[in-house]
Amino acid sequence: MIGTVLCYVLLPAARLLRALRDAFFTCRKNVLLAKSTSTQVEGVFAATRGRLVPEEQEALLQQWLEEGAGNLPADESAPAEGKVSVTLTSDWLEGSELLMTSLSDLNLAPEVTQCAGQQLTELHALASSESRDDAVTEQTKLPAEETVAVADSAPWAAVAPQMDHQIAGCGTVGVKVQNEDPAVLAWSLAPDEETVPTEPTAWPIQDTVQFCPLLTEVPYHDILWRDWEDLSVQPSVLEQVSKSTSLFEFRVMSYNILAQDLVEQGLDLYLHCHPDILSWNYRLPNLLQEIQHWDPDVLCLQEVQENHYQEQLEPAFKEMGFACFYKRRTGTKTDGCAVCYKHSRFQLINHTPVEYFHPGLEVLNRDNVGLVLLLQPLLPEGLDLKAVSPLCVANTHVLFNPRRGDIKLAQMALLLAEIDKIAKTAEGSYYPVILCGDLNSVPDSPLYKFIRNGELSYHGMPAWKVSGQEDFSQQLYSRKLLSPLLPSSLGITDNCQYVTLCQPKKRGRRKYSRNFLLQFHFCDVACERPPHLVLLEGVTDAKPDRPAHWPKPAVMVKDPDPQPFVPRSSGIIQHGLNLTSVYSHFLPQRGRPEVTTMPMGLGATVDYIFYSAEPVENRNRLGRRLYQDGALKLLGRLSLLSEDVLLMANGLPNPFCSSDHLCLLASFGLEISSLTENGVIFAW
């Protein structure tokens, strides 16, 4: 019963509302056609031709054009100079439903291939029909009008629908939909000087076509521009360098160039990259051009694939004037580290390849490697009486695994022990040291603080915390570091020194071999009970008898094989190299941290250049040791970038930067001194 009543009541009401809507639509149509020409209407819907539309829409459009042409006033047939706004109201489009399907197929029409020229031609033709005053008056009469600003000089093209962040740059197009009606669309002309670039909003109509100016590609070298920071003009440097001081200036570059085998093994990490820019044939010229452009005197490379080094990189570097040393990772790994130096600037004194893999040691069971070189700077002719200190250069690539900070710390301790052995002078001091590499640790992590502050209390520390790459504090089980970090069989102390080089100098304290001590096992002195020993019957009153086969004690002889003395570990690891970072790891002008790599779109700093400096006495700030330049002075550096800038360039690698790391570059100066006859050193 209720359904029947509703049918008899609602159906007539629906028919009445539809009739009223059609009448209102017809009235509005005639009002507009009184002010327009058929040519204008054809221009608006020119893009709908050349495709299939529903028959009822085609018939309605044809009828509309014929009625409009017959109702035109004669005085409006001649075009007039001026600008016009052509609007399509929501009432028209609700009645005709023309744009519901036509806009989605604009990119399929043949005319759209010449869309850029057609839009401007049609819109300029409309602009000559009415004055701006008439257009404003017409807009005030018609409700629900929307506008799209069109720049006269902008090139236009039909593009597929995109979200806001995908169409940044189409600033002259603004579209607004009232009441979320997908059929509302309007155009209005505006001069270039009046258009204000705005970011377009997301289109609510699926498959609609947006008209945007063709995006002008911003060159990568503009986005990724890196400034050279001249630090030699800073007051702190000028105070330390007198006018009479001469410096041996040189540049050092550290660069993880991304081994091609690692790219092919981890393609999931580079889904944001076009396959062409990941090929080695594309990347190699970019890398060589970048290195040649910055022209370093010392080059430290990580992730250098062995066959590429032997066949391409080493020959190219030799042509640039480099002498090269390479160390491949142990095991089945195909990449390694390389250190190259200009043979016109340096001469090799000593070099040591470092392998971090030691069978049977859990904290040293990975295939990472390092290189340590001792170089003698070559002075120009005419400076024969002057001398400059040798320079120790170290390069390494530490384990990546964020959970195994114990391995990272052990690898770094082993490298620092090698540096200590090569860079230590006969007097016990150190030559200037430069340490480069991919340490897979973030700034202010415990590993970073250990290198910079020279001390770390590691006992009981969670292993994941050492590098600071990720937070695994929520895991139920967490590996912890225990002391000693390195076994005594390795011969390295908690001071990151080989025990053969750090024998104790306390008088009367020696370490003897087992065979030497066995000869005193049954000597008379050893078999006598000490006077202060409490007498216990059956325990301390029995004098041990010498076995028959035991030789009689001989005269004490000098131990031919003394064992090195290894002090007991305290859970604190130290080194005495006094290293500080070239970079501050923060960009004050942008208020953002520096980044050297972008794994999975997240910026991080894991690459460093550390150099020798002099600690400032009694100047520790929040546990951070302060330094000032000593004999090795930092003169300049190549600025790094922030994460947001790299995101604008689609991350790393990209067509401009062919590695997933940024290169680090610094300029140094070594003081040149002269030796007098009395051996006193004077600074020049």
Side-chain angles (χ1 to χ4, degrees):
M1 176 69 71
I2 297 176
T4 303
V5 173
L6 291 177
C7 289
Y8 279 104
V9 174
L10 295 180
L11 287 178
R15 293 192 184 98
L16 178 62
L17 290 176
R18 183 174 181 179
L20 292 176
R21 185 194 64 181
D22 293 342
F24 182 74
F25 164 73
T26 303
C27 179
R28 282 295 186 189
K29 176 191 67 177
N30 292 335
V31 170
L32 178 69
L33 292 176
K35 293 292 184 179
S36 306
T37 65
S38 60
T39 305
Q40 292 171 326
V41 178
E42 287 185 39
V44 174
F45 295 98
T48 64
R49 298 180 179 177
R51 61 170 188 84
L52 296 179
V53 296
E55 294 182 0
E56 59 272 14
Q57 294 183 2
E58 186 69 31
L60 183 58
L61 176 62
Q62 186 65 28
Q63 179 183 0
W64 186 38
L65 295 177
E66 292 176 358
E67 292 178 0
N71 295 333
L72 288 177
D75 56 351
E76 293 192 6
S77 59
E81 296 293 328
K83 300 179 180 177
V84 67
S85 293
V86 181
T87 61
L88 304 178
T89 64
S90 60
D91 297 320
W92 300 353
L93 300 174
E94 286 177 1
S96 63
E97 299 179 357
L98 288 174
L99 296 184
M100 291 294 289
T101 58
S102 63
L103 283 178
S104 63
D105 296 329
L106 273 177
N107 56 342
L108 303 178
E111 291 82 2
V112 178
T113 58
Q114 303 293 334
C115 183
Q118 285 183 0
Q119 289 293 334
L120 289 178
T121 303
E122 293 169 0
L123 293 175
H124 281 302
L126 296 177
S128 60
S129 61
E130 279 189 313
S131 64
R132 178 178 295 181
D133 295 336
D134 292 337
V136 174
T137 304
E138 182 64 19
Q139 289 183 351
T140 58
K141 295 178 181 178
L142 300 178
E145 295 177 352
E146 304 300 329
T147 62
V148 176
V150 180
D152 293 340
S153 60
W156 297 86
V159 298
Q162 298 174 334
M163 297 302 291
D164 292 351
H165 66 279
Q166 294 174 312
I167 55 176
C170 305
T172 56
V173 178
V175 178
K176 201 172 12 176
V177 180
Q178 289 188 354
N179 300 326
E180 298 182 356
D181 187 355
V184 177
L185 184 65
W187 289 278
S188 67
L189 293 179
D192 287 342
E193 58 270 16
E194 295 181 3
T195 60
V196 179
T198 58
E199 185 177 356
T201 58
W203 287 68
I205 309 174
Q206 185 175 5
D207 295 331
T208 55
V209 176
Q210 306 170 29
F211 290 89
C212 298
L214 294 176
L215 298 179
T216 304
E217 183 178 356
V218 180
Y220 277 96
H221 65 267
D222 288 347
I223 299 177
L224 302 176
W225 182 264
R226 299 174 63 181
D227 296 319
W228 178 257
E229 301 176 5
D230 187 3
L231 305 179
S232 61
V233 297
Q234 293 186 354
S236 58
V237 178
L238 294 176
E239 292 176 0
Q240 300 178 45
V241 181
S242 62
K243 295 182 179 180
S244 60
T245 301
S246 297
L247 296 177
F248 176 84
E249 298 184 10
F250 60 97
R251 285 186 174 187
V252 177
M253 173 183 282
S254 179
Y255 202 176
N256 183 326
I257 63 174
L258 181 58
Q260 190 65 24
D261 283 349
L262 298 181
V263 173
E264 297 172 0
Q265 294 170 11
L267 289 175
D268 292 344
L269 300 175
Y270 310 105
L271 297 178
H272 64 286
C273 302
H274 192 279
D276 290 346
I277 70 171
L278 294 178
S279 68
W280 179 247
N281 291 335
Y282 179 91
R283 295 173 53 229
L284 175 62
N286 274 7
L287 295 171
L288 292 177
Q289 182 180 8
E290 186 175 8
I291 293 172
Q292 191 170 16
H293 171 75
W294 294 118
D295 191 26
D297 299 298
V298 178
L299 179 61
C300 297
L301 301 179
Q302 304 90 39
E303 290 192 19
V304 183
Q305 194 165 308
E306 185 177 31
N307 62 326
H308 291 161
Y309 171 79
Q310 295 174 350
E311 299 170 4
Q312 296 169 311
L313 291 173
E314 185 180 21
F317 291 153
K318 287 184 176 180
E319 290 183 1
M320 298 181 193
F322 286 103
C324 303
F325 290 86
Y326 177 77
K327 176 58 182 176
R328 183 179 66 86
R329 285 204 282 171
T330 54
T332 60
K333 304 299 188 295
T334 60
D335 66 289
C337 297
V339 176
C340 310
Y341 61 91
K342 291 283 185 68
H343 53 69
S344 61
R345 305 296 312 280
F346 295 94
Q347 181 179 359
L348 180 67
I349 299 177
N350 189 11
H351 85 284
T352 301
V354 184
E355 295 183 358
Y356 299 141
F357 179 77
H358 288 259
L361 299 183
E362 186 181 2
V363 294
L364 290 173
N365 61 358
R366 302 304 168 94
D367 296 318
N368 304 85
V369 295
L371 274 171
V372 182
L373 276 68
L374 186 63
L375 304 175
Q376 176 62 54
L378 298 178
L379 300 177
E381 296 182 0
L383 299 178
D384 296 338
L385 297 179
K386 297 183 179 181
V388 63
S389 169
L391 175 70
C392 180
V393 177
N395 180 30
T396 189
H397 190 181
V398 174
L399 176 71
F400 168 77
N401 191 342
R403 294 178 175 86
R404 295 307 304 269
D406 53 338
I407 296 179
K408 297 174 189 278
L409 187 59
Q411 290 180 350
M412 185 53 57
L414 183 57
L415 179 67
L416 293 176
E418 292 289 345
I419 296 175
D420 180 272
K421 182 173 67 174
I422 289 183
K424 180 170 286 189
T425 66
E427 294 78 14
S429 59
Y430 293 98
Y431 296 125
V433 176
I434 294 179
L435 170 59
C436 303
D438 181 351
L439 305 185
N440 278 314
S441 303
V442 300
D444 289 331
S445 63
L447 182 62
Y448 175 90
K449 292 179 179 178
F450 164 60
I451 298 173
R452 193 184 182 282
N453 296 340
E455 183 176 302
L456 176 66
S457 177
Y458 64 87
H459 184 72
M461 179 182 295
W464 61 264
K465 195 174 183 180
V466 173
S467 64
Q469 294 168 280
E470 298 182 31
D471 187 354
F472 297 101
S473 58
Q474 302 301 324
Q475 290 187 345
L476 297 178
Y477 171 77
S478 178
R479 184 189 302 269
K480 295 183 182 298
L481 276 68
L482 301 177
S483 60
L485 177 66
L486 300 175
S488 58
S489 60
L490 204 60
I492 298 178
T493 68
D494 279 346
N495 291 328
C496 296
Q497 294 177 324
Y498 283 103
V499 291
T500 55
L501 303 177
C502 58
Q503 292 295 324
K505 297 183 179 180
K506 292 184 179 181
R507 181 174 298 178
R509 190 173 185 181
R510 292 179 173 84
K511 182 75 174 182
Y512 299 99
S513 65
R514 180 175 181 273
N515 292 332
F516 179 77
L517 294 176
L518 281 178
Q519 63 181 325
F520 304 101
H521 191 60
F522 289 100
C523 67
D524 295 337
V525 176
C527 293
E528 290 182 2
R529 183 173 60 87
H532 62 275
L533 185 62
V534 178
L535 179 60
L536 297 176
E537 186 176 355
V539 178
T540 61
D541 60 346
K543 182 177 181 180
D545 296 328
R546 181 185 299 110
H549 66 276
W550 197 266
K552 293 183 178 181
V555 181
M556 183 181 296
V557 295
K558 186 176 181 181
D559 189 359
D561 184 24
Q563 297 295 318
F565 174 76
V566 180
R568 182 173 297 177
S569 175
S570 60
I572 299 176
I573 190 169
Q574 298 174 320
H575 72 84
L577 297 177
N578 294 329
L579 300 174
T580 187
S581 176
V582 164
Y583 290 90
S584 61
H585 317 303
F586 188 78
L587 298 170
Q589 66 274 19
R590 298 187 62 86
R592 295 176 179 271
E594 299 172 335
V595 300
T596 64
T597 185
M598 284 197 67
M600 305 298 293
L602 300 176
T605 293
V606 297
D607 304 276
Y608 302 93
I609 298 179
F610 291 97
Y611 70 102
S612 297
E614 294 182 357
V616 180
E617 296 294 336
N618 301 323
R619 290 288 301 278
N620 288 2
R621 183 174 55 190
L622 299 177
R624 184 182 180 90
R625 183 183 296 179
L626 299 181
Y627 290 93
Q628 63 182 6
D629 286 348
L632 181 63
K633 305 183 185 305
L634 178 62
L635 304 181
R637 64 192 176 198
L638 183 63
S639 65
L640 290 171
L641 301 174
S642 59
E643 182 184 70
D644 60 324
V645 172
L646 290 176
L647 286 174
M648 294 173 58
N650 199 32
L652 294 172
N654 55 55
F656 187 73
C657 297
S658 289
S659 174
D660 57 350
H661 292 247
L662 294 176
C663 71
L664 279 62
L665 183 70
S667 176
F668 295 96
L670 268 174
E671 289 185 357
I672 301 175
S673 57
S674 176
L675 296 177
T676 65
E677 295 181 357
N678 295 329
V680 181
I681 298 179
F682 296 94
W684 286 69

